[in-house]
Each structure stands twice: as structure tokens, then as C-alpha cells.
């Protein structure tokens, strides 16, 4: 259960970094909204992303993995739409803002996953 909360926190921090750094990705709400959006994003990444990667496998191979950026962009746009439906206040202004936002989210997630590597593997020092 600890891994879930660490992953959820990493996802929330990455989403907040995208809101903070990328023009066109805006959040109007309180901090609990970011946590809900991180939960929505995590669920989409766990449920929808594998299906999309399976269906677009030839494109991913053909582009040497770069098509995953398009998948991440689509998932950020979908997170934004679902968040707006629940009144959470995330808005993404177009495809290119979503591309930059998904790149920031990916970069922050990778860096924070490396920092919290031992906690995510379950090892204790």
C-alpha cells in the first residue's frame, strides 16, 4: 500500500510541475484537486495505456518508441476532460501544450522514481 501512495505522490508532483512550467496547462483549484487529478491520471495510465500501447504497437516500433509521446499526450488530454467533468479545474489548451505537459510529467516522474527507488522496491536501509 505504501508503493501506491508513493506513486500517487510522484504523479501529483509531476502533474503540478507541468501546471507550473508549461504555458497552456492550467489548474484552478486547491491542492486536493491535484491529488484527485493524479489519481485519475494514475488510473488512466494503469487501465487505458496498456490497451493503447497494444493497439499501436506497430506505430511504436516504426517510430522507435516516439509514438508513446502521442499516447502520453492523449492521456493528459483525457485526464483534463475527465477532470473538467468532475469540476477539478485542469485545462489543457491544445495538442502542443499537452505534448509539452506530457514530456514534463514523464521527466519529473522518472527523476522522482529514481529518487524513491528503494521505497518503491520495498527495500529499507
Amino acid at each position: 500500500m505504501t508503493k501506491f501512495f508513493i506513486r500517487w505522490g510522484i504523479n501529483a508532483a509531476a502533474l503540478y510541475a507541468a501546471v507550473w512550467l508549461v504555458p497552456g496547462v492550467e489548474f484552478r483549484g486547491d491542492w486536493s484537486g491535484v491529488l484527485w487529478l493524479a489519481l485519475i491520471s494514475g488510473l488512466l495510465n494503469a487501465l487505458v495505456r496498456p490497451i493503447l500501447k497494444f493497439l499501436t504497437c506497430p506505430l511504436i516500433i516504426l517510430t522507435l518508441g516516439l509514438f508513446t509521446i502521442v499516447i502520453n499526450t492523449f492521456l493528459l488530454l483525457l485526464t483534463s476532460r475527465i477532470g473538467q467533468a468532475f469540476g477539478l479545474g485542469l485545462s489543457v489548451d491544445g495538442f502542443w501544450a499537452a505534448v509539452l505537459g506530457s514530456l514534463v510529467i514523464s521527466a519529473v516522474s522518472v527523476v522522482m522514481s529514481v529518487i524513491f527507488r528503494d521505497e518503491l522496491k520495498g527495500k529499507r536501509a
Side-chain angles (χ1 to χ4, degrees):
M1 190 60 128
T2 304
K3 292 178 189 179
F4 170 76
F5 287 115
I6 292 172
R7 180 62 53 196
W8 189 13
I10 289 171
N11 202 1
L15 190 60
Y16 184 75
V19 168
W20 188 53
L21 292 172
V22 178
V25 178
E26 297 177 5
F27 176 73
R28 293 182 193 97
D30 59 349
W31 63 271
S32 65
V34 173
L35 293 176
W36 283 110
L37 286 168
L39 183 62
I40 291 169
S41 176
L43 287 173
L44 287 175
N45 279 324
L47 300 174
V48 177
R49 182 184 175 105
I51 296 168
L52 289 176
K53 287 180 90 172
F54 176 75
L55 293 174
T56 60
C57 187
L59 284 172
I60 293 171
I61 292 170
L62 185 65
T63 61
L64 302 175
L66 290 177
F67 194 76
T68 56
I69 295 171
V70 176
I71 293 173
N72 291 343
T73 301
F74 172 74
L75 290 175
L76 180 60
L77 287 169
L78 189 58
T79 300
S80 171
R81 298 286 182 207
I82 293 172
Q84 287 174 358
F86 285 110
L88 294 175
L90 178 69
S91 65
V92 179
D93 298 331
F95 179 77
W96 294 109
V99 169
L100 290 174
S102 67
L103 289 173
V104 167
I105 289 171
S106 296
V108 171
S109 293
V110 166
V111 169
M112 290 188 73
S113 293
V114 167
I115 292 171
F116 291 106
R117 176 182 53 228
D118 291 338
E119 286 84 1
L120 289 170
K121 287 184 180 179
K123 296 179 183 176
R124 306 220 171 176

